[in-house]
Amino acid sequence: MALSYYSVVFMALALSAPLAVLAGDPDILTDFIIPQNLGAENITGAFFTYTGFRPMFNMNMSMPMPSFMVAKASMAEFPALNGQSVSYAMLMFQPDSVNPTHTHPRSAELLLVVDGALSVGFVDTAGKLYTQDLDTGDMFVFPKGIVHWQYNKGTKAATAFSAFGSASAGLVSVPVTVFGTGIDDTVLAKSFKTDVPTVQKLKAALTPPPKKAHDASTAETSKLQNLTTIKSHLTTLQSFSVIVFLTMAALNSLSILAFALLALSAPLAVVAGDPDILTDFVVPEPVLGIPFNVTGDYFTFHGFRGSFNRSAPPHESFNVTKASVAEFPALNGQSVSYAALSFPPGSVNPTHTHPRASELLLLLRGALAVGFVDTAGKLYTQDLAAGDMFVFPKGTVHWQCNQGSGPAFALSGFGSAAAGLVSVPVTVFGTGIDDTVLAKSFKTDVPTVQKLKAALTPPPKTA
Ligand SMILES: *[C@@H]1O[C@H](CO)[C@@H](O)[C@H](O)[C@H]1NC(C)=O
Ligand SMILES: *[C@@H]1O[C@H](CO)[C@@H](O)[C@H](O)[C@H]1NC(C)=O
Ligand SMILES: *[C@@H]1O[C@H](CO)[C@@H](O)[C@H](O)[C@H]1NC(C)=O
């Protein structure tokens, strides 16, 4: 009975409001979207690379700086993110500074503290408050569109990275939106059950938002760069404090057209990554009969502490630590996840694809050579320095390689809670596909196929 009731509700929703099932950004029908001012000849590895975070990685900590700063890498700053459903922000908190109450209308936020400590919180749509104290290496997920904040209560600066499952998550500052945009005093007084003088006092305290958010962020970046001096050989993240927030950029006409066509012809095909959810979060079924206790701790993941522990011995071979829905159940329905990638000198993350999300890799330490092949067979490669970012479009074959003499460490954000992994060598040569099929596919002979097969350990049965 219940099932058929929900089926009817679902069908009614699907028929009446197909756009409501979009997880985040509309999906694209190409590997990437070329901006209108560029031609295919302009698209090289550099197009997929963002270097705007380098100043923060090279900042002189003795210089004066704002109490709270955000550096963002969304579609507005990094056009290659268009259609890739993923973006980053870097948040830098001086002691006793706050990132004020705000929401992101188009994405959940997965915040990872990489230096210092932060107190965070959000309020769900039922009005329940969740708070948590985070230490270095901890991450916390803020569900899409809900009011949240971060606070550095300590005496040491703190730095965090946030990944979003949208190329343009958007930002609604609650104080500025409510008290800084000219909403009628009486409306606000009645809304807040207070008097007009109190509303006017609150309004006077809040500067109206800048007319053009993008120009403002450019000015902030240039101010930031003026504060910056290049500190060479900075190998570890320091106690930065800069921030940038996401501004929303209008979708270009191409993606709007593609979106409209998709919406008309095949509504279910337009789901960008994960299906959207109709609740703030989805609590999994009890494990071994023990229900999940949904407190601030439920939204927190401690599994990256080892990756951010600088006294831990370095990995001897390429290592990945994942924070996807399998390791961190609170990501269920939030369309965002992380992986921490550790590369000793000479190591490679072999050719693979992620079927359900683009990957936005941010190199935190060392140097990496990266590359991918698009579906037209074109190869794109790039050499990355610390602070650089590279986007690998969804489902394309890609790899990373540490050709340097020191270790490299990267953080990858995905616009899915379960991006999936297809290892190309293992999938092709390690799963028992018939030798003749492979020999014909690779235009080679059966002995060569058997040699390749012998070298690749079959994947574990449960994977
Ligand atoms: C794009 O490529 C064309 C042809 O090589 C070149 O003339 C033009 O300057 C390039 N545009 C940009 C923005 O790099
Ligand atoms: C950092 O700034 C301080 C104060 O201005 C200055 O004395 C110092 O030389 C700078 N350090 C570097 C590495 O530029
Ligand atoms: C940064 O410095 C340059 C050159 O010193 C100056 O022209 C520019 O106005 C400064 N920008 C800001 C935002 O202070």
Side-chain angles (χ1 to χ4, degrees):
M1 273 328 216
L3 191 67
S4 60
Y5 170 74
Y6 285 116
S7 307
V8 169
V9 170
F10 175 75
M11 281 179 62
L13 275 168
L15 291 171
S16 65
L19 297 183
V21 299
L22 280 180
D25 302 354
D27 209 355
I28 57 176
L29 295 178
T30 50
D31 299 336
F32 46 83
I33 295 172
I34 300 176
Q36 279 164 348
N37 61 330
L38 297 180
E41 71 279 9
N42 301 106
I43 307 301
T44 63
F47 172 71
F48 300 96
T49 309
Y50 183 68
T51 58
F53 279 11
R54 279 192 194 181
M56 270 77 75
F57 279 67
N58 295 317
M59 194 168 292
N60 182 343
M61 290 304 141
S62 318
M63 303 287 281
M65 54 188 74
S67 62
F68 169 71
M69 288 194 285
V70 184
K72 58 187 174 170
S74 74
M75 199 174 103
E77 299 78 26
F78 185 11
L81 294 185
N82 192 4
Q84 305 299 341
S85 302
V86 65
S87 58
Y88 269 127
M90 180 175 183
L91 316 169
M92 303 174 88
F93 299 81
Q94 295 286 29
D96 198 34
S97 66
V98 167
N99 182 5
T101 49
H102 63 279
T103 73
H104 303 291
R106 291 182 289 285
S107 175
E109 172 175 359
L110 185 52
L111 177 138
L112 170 64
V113 180
V114 298
D115 195 41
L118 286 178
S119 298
V120 303
F122 73 86
V123 178
D124 73 10
T125 56
K128 183 170 171 189
L129 169 68
Y130 301 85
T131 59
Q132 188 75 12
D133 292 329
L134 306 179
D135 215 333
T136 302
D138 289 349
M139 74 179 72
F140 191 89
V141 61
F142 302 96
K144 177 156 85 175
I146 52 88
V147 173
H148 64 280
W149 63 92
Q150 298 103 25
Y151 175 32
N152 181 4
K153 289 198 268 201
T155 53
K156 184 178 175 290
T159 303
F161 289 104
S162 283
F164 300 88
S166 166
S168 182
L171 171 70
V172 176
S173 160
V174 176
V176 172
T177 304
V178 176
F179 293 106
T181 58
I183 300 177
D184 185 82
D185 290 354
T186 312
V187 170
L188 290 177
K190 285 188 189 295
S191 302
F192 285 80
K193 298 194 197 303
T194 187
D195 49 43
V196 166
T198 304
V199 167
Q200 286 170 343
K201 184 179 169 199
L202 288 165
K203 281 189 165 184
L206 288 157
T207 320
K211 291 265 178 340
K212 290 177 85 182
H214 186 63
D215 291 355
S217 79
T218 308
E220 280 306 308
T221 307
S222 124
K223 220 181 282 171
L224 180 64
Q225 278 159 354
N226 286 6
L227 282 176
T228 304
T229 59
I230 303 303
K231 225 162 122 188
S232 54
H233 311 304
L234 183 76
T235 52
T236 58
L237 282 170
Q238 302 282 350
S239 21
F240 307 97
S241 355
V242 178
I243 235 186
V244 178
F245 247 108
L246 298 175
T247 50
M248 105 173 241
L251 284 169
N252 67 36
S253 55
L254 179 64
S255 55
I256 288 173
L257 179 61
F259 176 73
L261 286 174
L262 274 167
L264 291 171
S265 61
L268 294 182
V270 298
V271 172
D274 303 354
D276 209 354
I277 56 177
L278 296 178
T279 49
D280 299 338
F281 45 83
V282 180
V283 180
E285 292 298 312
V287 174
L288 302 171
I290 306 161
F292 283 87
N293 186 13
V294 184
T295 63
D297 204 43
Y298 169 74
F299 299 97
T300 309
F301 182 69
H302 304 291
F304 274 19
R305 283 193 181 180
S307 304
F308 286 89
N309 177 359
R310 284 176 210 144
S311 48
H315 288 108
E316 284 172 11
S317 57
F318 169 70
N319 182 275
V320 186
T321 307
K322 289 199 290 182
S324 71
V325 69
E327 298 81 25
F328 185 12
L331 294 184
N332 194 5
Q334 304 299 342
S335 302
V336 66
S337 59
Y338 273 129
L341 313 173
S342 181
F343 299 83
S347 65
V348 168
N349 182 4
T351 48
H352 64 280
T353 73
H354 304 290
R356 291 181 289 282
S358 299
E359 172 174 358
L360 184 52
L361 178 144
L362 170 61
L363 183 58
L364 298 179
R365 292 197 282 279
L368 276 185
V370 303
F372 77 91
V373 178
D374 74 10
T375 57
K378 184 171 170 188
L379 169 68
Y380 302 86
T381 60
Q382 189 74 14
D383 291 327
L384 306 182
D388 290 355
M389 217 176 274
F390 192 90
V391 61
F392 302 94
K394 178 156 86 175
T396 59
V397 172
H398 62 276
W399 64 91
Q400 299 103 24
C401 174
N402 181 1
Q403 297 166 331
S405 54
F409 182 58
L411 182 66
S412 282
F414 301 89
S416 166
L421 172 70
V422 177
S423 161
V424 177
V426 172
T427 304
V428 176
F429 293 105
T431 57
I433 300 177
D434 185 83
D435 290 353
T436 311
V437 169
L438 290 176
K440 285 187 187 295
S441 302
F442 286 79
K443 298 193 197 301
T444 187
D445 49 45
V446 167
T448 304
V449 167
Q450 286 171 342
K451 185 180 168 199
L452 287 164
K453 281 188 165 186
L456 288 156
T457 320
K461 292 274 185 316
T462 53

